[in-house]
Amino acid sequence: MFAMMESARLEALHLAHDPATGLKAIIAIHNTRLGPALGGCRYLAYPDDESAVRDAIRLAQGMSYKAALAGLEQGGGKAVIIRPPHVDNRGALFEAFGRMIESLKGRYITAVDSGTSSADMDCIAQQTQHVTSTTAAGDPSPHTAMGIYSGIRASALARLGSDDLDGLRVAIQGLGNVGFALAEQLSAAGALLYVSDLDPGRVQLAVEQLGAHPVSGEELLATPCDILAPCGLGGVLNAQTVGELRCAAVAGAANNQLASAEVADELEGRGILYAPDYVINSGGLIYVALKHRGEELPAITAHLARIGRRLTEIYAHAQADKRSPARVADDLAERLLYGA
Ligand code: NAD
């Protein structure tokens, strides 16, 4: 356990068990140098306890990097509730989790993640105020999409010399909450859209409403385009798929797009600009963090616009150092987190 904490530079790990509700929860607090730890709560089944702890630690670390480069006074944390095979009262389980959060006195703030919903956050909110993404707080996805839009403009400027989206060819993989909202914004700006989704209904909607060109799932990554925007699942960029890409830049919402850190160097080697995923997709985090602090929409929107500026800064460093933007982003985040 401590070896895992040491290698991730994790500050604290909290465990709770509540037999009355079946709660088995882990809260990993990675780094609070910039502020209280904020990060989602997963509610999933795990093969064993160690996998759950490992997941919480890995994800908490990622949140620290994301919050630091988003310019938030917020640290990184993550919670995992191990989903029991049967639960009698889901609301009571999440209320018990709320009491666990309350016992940490504001060092960790929770949010929606895989397997949880705003309704679960509402249950947590009955026990603690250290919770975001409740029903009242609203869906962060449109704000994530706004951040991606600003990041696509920065990427087009850096690689193609103009941030005018009129006529820009953008291939979007995944038209979910973020991908579809992004498609709407790009279409309004005159971009040409090439889209795929596992759900043919989503594709049909984009074709009918936005004039998008449908592309099959197998062909999407190899579609000739200016910007490839992965907005489905993570791990889409690996040694094989990087070789197939026919885009000038990759700039999308999916978390953990690179199958391994080395893939960033392969993209760089092919002359494809890569927008580090945790920088470009930080709009949702910015929304929930600032909303939790009571900020109004204009202030939140102004903060979202900084995503593009941060990427421009990262691209300039990367070009000067002849390194991948992903490596530059990690270095910048570590300087903020550890003062190195
Ligand atoms: P979502 O579940 O609403 O949508 C994902 C969509 O991608 C679905 O329609 C799914 O059918 C499609 N998809 C999955 N794999 C695909 C594939 N191989 N080819 C084509 N389509 C595929 O999720 P979302 O909220 O839109 O999030 C999208 C991504 O962005 C996820 O990786 C998520 O972790 C990340 N992200 C989301 C937010 C947010 O605010 N929602 C914030 C940061 C990061």
Side-chain angles (χ1 to χ4, degrees):
M1 192 88 86
F2 283 105
M4 270 196 268
M5 290 178 72
E6 205 173 337
S7 96
R9 302 176 83 165
L10 191 86
E11 266 179 32
L13 192 64
H14 299 272
L15 307 179
H17 179 215
D18 179 45
T21 58
L23 177 79
K24 284 185 185 164
I26 300 151
I27 295 177
I29 296 180
H30 179 258
N31 185 304
T32 54
R33 187 172 195 240
L34 301 172
L38 170 58
C41 167
R42 289 198 160 179
Y43 181 58
L44 300 173
Y46 284 86
D48 51 53
D49 295 350
E50 190 185 316
S51 317
V53 170
R54 199 177 289 283
D55 209 23
I57 293 177
R58 177 181 65 86
L59 295 164
Q61 184 177 22
M63 291 308 295
S64 288
Y65 282 58
K66 187 183 276 203
L69 287 196
L72 294 169
E73 292 173 357
Q74 217 76 67
K78 209 82 175 189
V80 165
I81 300 178
I82 299 174
R83 198 178 73 212
H86 304 287
V87 63
D88 290 334
N89 187 338
R90 183 173 171 128
L93 183 140
F94 278 92
E95 281 197 42
F97 180 57
R99 289 191 288 278
M100 177 189 184
I101 295 173
E102 181 63 14
S103 74
L104 300 178
K105 300 185 166 58
R107 293 192 64 237
Y108 169 69
I109 303 161
T110 201
V112 165
D113 205 305
S114 306
T116 56
S117 66
S118 296
D120 296 325
M121 299 302 119
D122 293 347
C123 294
I124 294 170
Q126 294 191 27
Q127 302 294 330
T128 182
Q129 57 172 335
H130 307 300
V131 52
T132 65
S133 46
T134 53
T135 310
D139 179 11
S141 306
H143 306 276
T144 303
M146 278 174 76
I148 307 293
Y149 179 86
S150 140
I152 285 179
R153 287 187 59 185
S155 306
L157 182 64
R159 186 42 47 101
L160 306 167
S162 165
D163 64 358
D164 185 358
L165 301 182
D166 194 16
L168 195 82
R169 298 165 305 157
V170 184
I172 305 178
Q173 183 187 52
L175 293 166
N177 291 323
V178 177
F180 201 89
L182 173 67
E184 286 176 318
Q185 292 177 40
L186 290 170
S187 163
L192 303 176
L193 304 179
Y194 300 85
V195 299
S196 85
D197 196 291
L198 301 178
D199 175 357
R202 304 294 292 177
V203 174
Q204 190 59 27
L205 214 56
V207 170
E208 285 168 9
Q209 294 187 358
L210 310 173
H213 306 278
V215 180
S216 74
E218 304 80 60
E219 289 169 8
L220 194 275
L221 294 180
T223 300
C225 61
D226 299 305
I227 309 280
L228 169 68
C231 297
L233 294 182
V236 286
L237 301 173
N238 56 41
Q240 191 211 319
T241 56
V242 165
E244 295 168 7
L245 302 183
R246 293 171 73 190
C247 58
V250 176
N255 277 315
N256 306 315
Q257 289 169 33
L258 306 176
S260 70
E262 291 68 37
V263 176
D265 305 323
E266 289 163 25
L267 284 164
E268 188 65 11
R270 283 213 51 210
I272 297 172
L273 188 68
Y274 174 67
D277 48 16
Y278 66 84
V279 179
I280 193 170
N281 75 13
S282 60
L285 174 65
I286 290 170
Y287 175 76
V288 295
L290 297 186
K291 187 92 181 149
H292 188 63
R293 283 168 187 250
E295 297 283 2
E296 299 294 338
L297 213 49
I300 297 175
T301 307
H303 200 116
L304 287 173
R306 292 195 214 159
I307 292 176
R309 293 205 288 278
R310 176 68 90 184
L311 280 170
T312 300
E313 198 181 298
I314 290 170
Y315 292 153
H317 279 292
Q319 196 179 14
D321 298 353
K322 296 191 169 39
R323 289 199 308 153
S324 158
R327 305 253 180 215
V328 170
D330 285 353
D331 286 355
L332 282 175
E334 282 163 17
R335 223 167 293 153
L336 290 165
L337 294 172
Y338 308 117

